[in-house]
């Protein structure tokens, strides 16, 4: 083994990639995480008075949710990658891919708008900017609402509002949907942060 030319990867080692592949990989990962969140939301419709209702989440809702989800998570990752090589190029590829899909469904400009809103929310949150806190408990009382404060819950609430507030079928469970979005968004941020940190863009 010592004499052979074998490259071994250690856990935590860096992986070289280019800007286009980095952006495509981020989108693929975040899109799959969005699908998981959506599947949990659809499963939650079982608690509606009429029972499980796949149609309660429309294709339009799904489209808006995914675009806002990708833009919000992307901006969080870009913030974490500040100072990394070719960050502007990664961002350009990232939004270009999202916009292609958005345009195909008549949602031109939605990704740019959602990204701008997310950037503004990120920069305004001092707990996140100065202390790296995405979400923190509001109180020790588990029955207190809302249970969490911070950038994560704020972005999740914006996602829920943008995608699902207009769905009258989801109105009875909108608070529960918001909780699911927040939990899944926080999970996606945690996994995405670890994954993105593993790459070096050359």
């Amino acid at each position: 083994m010592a004499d052979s030319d074998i490259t071994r990867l250690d856990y935590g080692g860096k992986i070289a990639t280019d800007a286009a592949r980095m952006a495509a990989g981020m989108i693929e990962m975040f899109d799959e995480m969005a699908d998981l969140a959506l599947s949990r939301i659809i499963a939650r419709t079982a608690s509606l008075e009429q029972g499980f209702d796949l149609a309660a989440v429309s294709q339009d809702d799904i489209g808006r949710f995914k675009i806002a989800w990708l833009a919000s998570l992307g901006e969080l990752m870009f913030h974490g990658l500040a100072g990394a090589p070719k960050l502007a190029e990664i961002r350009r590829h990232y939004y270009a891919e999202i916009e292609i899909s958005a345009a195909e469904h008549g949602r031109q400009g939605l990704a740019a708008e959602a990204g701008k809103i997310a950037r503004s929310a990120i920069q305004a949150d001092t707990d996140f900017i100065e202390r790296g806190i995405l979400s923190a408990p509001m109180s020790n009382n588990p029955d207190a609402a809302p249970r969490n404060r911070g950038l994560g819950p704020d972005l999740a609430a914006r996602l829920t509002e943008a995608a699902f507030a207009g769905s009258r079928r989801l109105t009875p469970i909108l608070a529960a949907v918001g909780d699911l979005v927040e939990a899944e968004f926080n999970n996606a941020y945690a996994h995405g942060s670890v994954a993105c940190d593993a790459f070096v863009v050359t």
Side-chain angles (χ1 to χ4, degrees):
M1 173 84 89
D3 296 330
S4 61
D5 188 19
I6 296 175
T7 301
R8 292 186 298 177
L9 294 177
D10 295 324
Y11 179 77
K14 297 292 185 178
I15 303 163
T17 190
D18 59 40
R21 286 192 181 99
M22 179 72 175
M26 290 169 65
I27 289 171
E28 182 179 357
M29 176 173 56
F30 297 155
D31 189 62
E32 289 179 1
M33 292 172 172
D35 285 340
L36 177 59
L38 286 164
S39 70
R40 292 191 65 199
I41 290 166
I42 292 168
R44 190 68 177 81
T45 67
S47 65
L48 290 170
E49 186 177 335
Q50 305 86 354
F52 181 79
D53 185 1
L54 182 63
V57 181
S58 72
Q59 287 302 309
D60 195 48
D61 296 339
I62 291 170
R64 286 194 310 273
F65 176 76
K66 280 199 170 187
I67 291 170
W69 172 277
L70 288 169
S72 297
L73 276 174
E75 289 300 333
L76 284 170
M77 295 307 113
F78 299 145
H79 174 80
L81 292 169
K86 301 192 177 180
L87 181 56
E89 191 176 344
I90 298 169
R91 183 193 294 270
R92 180 172 57 79
H93 282 289
Y94 189 85
Y95 276 101
E97 285 213 26
I98 299 174
E99 286 292 358
I100 289 170
S101 177
E104 289 174 354
H105 297 90
R107 300 186 183 92
Q108 296 90 333
L110 181 56
E113 180 185 351
K116 182 178 178 181
I117 290 169
R119 281 193 301 278
S120 177
I122 289 167
Q123 292 304 320
D125 195 292
T126 54
D127 266 355
F128 182 72
I129 295 295
E130 297 175 8
R131 294 180 276 287
I133 298 171
L134 184 77
S135 181
M138 285 285 283
S139 72
N140 292 326
N141 179 2
D143 297 323
R147 293 189 301 277
N148 297 309
R149 64 170 174 80
L151 180 60
D154 178 43
L155 289 175
R158 292 170 191 258
L159 282 167
T160 305
E161 175 72 21
F164 307 119
S167 173
R168 281 179 281 181
R169 294 187 188 184
L170 288 177
T171 299
I173 61 167
L174 194 58
V177 167
D179 288 344
L180 283 174
V181 171
E182 182 182 334
E184 293 301 323
F185 189 77
N186 286 348
N187 287 339
Y189 169 74
H191 289 294
S193 298
V194 172
C196 288
D197 188 58
F199 290 91
V200 173
V201 179
T202 58

